[in-house]
């Protein structure tokens, strides 16, 4: 299965984005068996338009995710194995909503905490500076972002 998801379909990314544009290419591939269970390989690629924390300009950040996820048939099966933190992440089979949520999770995890240009193009323009509220950093703190 291969889907191109618009970045605007992921509301939890919105706060981190400079622009809500682009698409995430999502590839789901069944793996016949892993540790006796069905598994999926999830690959994501795309570019997110983040905000440079130094000049507040737009910063194109390439995102690459490549994960193997085991499929569980029931929620009970997942709950029973929650204690085993070494096990690969499990998802319920055949639920598109859950795949969407999972993709969103992976994207949130792939975001850098403080994205910065290697070399900022110039001084912040008036337009870029007004886009970002002076309290944006404070908001991040209050949301407890620390990864
Ligand atoms: Zn910059």
């Amino acid at each position: 299965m291969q889907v191109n998801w618009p970045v605007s379909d992921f509301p939890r990314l919105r706060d981190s984005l400079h622009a809500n544009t682009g698409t995430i290419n999502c590839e789901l591939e069944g793996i016949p068996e892993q540790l006796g269970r069905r598994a999926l390989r999830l690959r994501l690629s795309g570019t997110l338009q983040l905000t440079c924390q130094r000049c507040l300009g737009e910063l194109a950040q390439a995102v690459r995710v490549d994960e193997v996820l085991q499929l569980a048939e029931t929620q009970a099966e997942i709950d029973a194995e929650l204690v085993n933190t070494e096990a690969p992440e499990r998802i319920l089979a055949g639920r598109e909503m859950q795949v969407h949520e999972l993709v969103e999770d992976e994207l949130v995890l792939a975001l850098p905490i403080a994205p910065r240009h290697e070399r900022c193009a110039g001084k912040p323009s008036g337009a870029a500076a007004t886009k970002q509220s002076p309290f944006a950093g404070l908001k991040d703190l209050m949301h407890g972002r620390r990864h």
Side-chain angles (χ1 to χ4, degrees):
M1 172 182 134
Q2 190 168 341
V3 199
N4 283 314
W5 252 313
V7 170
S8 53
D9 267 11
F10 300 105
R12 278 158 59 210
L13 291 179
R14 211 155 285 164
D15 279 354
S16 314
L17 297 177
H18 192 270
N20 214 0
T21 56
T23 52
I24 298 295
N25 180 269
C26 168
E27 243 179 278
L28 271 177
E29 182 190 357
I31 296 174
E33 202 167 277
Q34 171 145 337
L35 306 171
R37 287 173 203 269
R38 291 193 292 154
L40 280 179
R41 182 162 189 197
L42 173 68
R43 269 181 286 198
L44 304 175
S45 63
T47 303
L48 295 174
Q49 304 301 327
L50 305 180
T51 303
C52 169
Q53 297 303 295
R54 203 177 319 162
C55 70
L56 303 182
E58 191 170 74
L59 169 69
Q61 172 80 40
V63 174
R64 294 267 179 284
V65 171
D66 192 339
E67 293 264 351
V68 170
L69 307 153
Q70 289 196 338
L71 288 179
E73 302 299 331
T74 64
Q75 184 64 44
E77 202 179 310
I78 294 177
D79 295 342
E81 306 209 14
L82 270 184
V83 278
N84 186 1
T85 52
E86 299 293 308
E89 213 173 331
R90 287 265 158 77
I91 59 169
L92 282 171
R95 293 218 185 154
E96 178 158 357
M97 277 314 289
Q98 206 181 2
V99 171
H100 180 269
E101 209 166 291
L102 188 89
V103 168
E104 193 173 43
D105 280 349
E106 297 291 344
L107 289 173
V108 168
L109 288 174
L111 287 175
I113 320 163
R116 275 178 195 166
H117 292 119
E118 237 168 80
R119 290 204 181 109
C120 292
K123 297 190 171 173
S125 73
T130 50
K131 260 190 187 173
Q132 184 97 349
S133 129
F135 301 110
L138 182 67
K139 196 176 89 186
D140 282 353
L141 282 177
M142 287 163 65
H143 283 265
R145 289 174 50 152
R146 57 181 104 80
H147 61 84

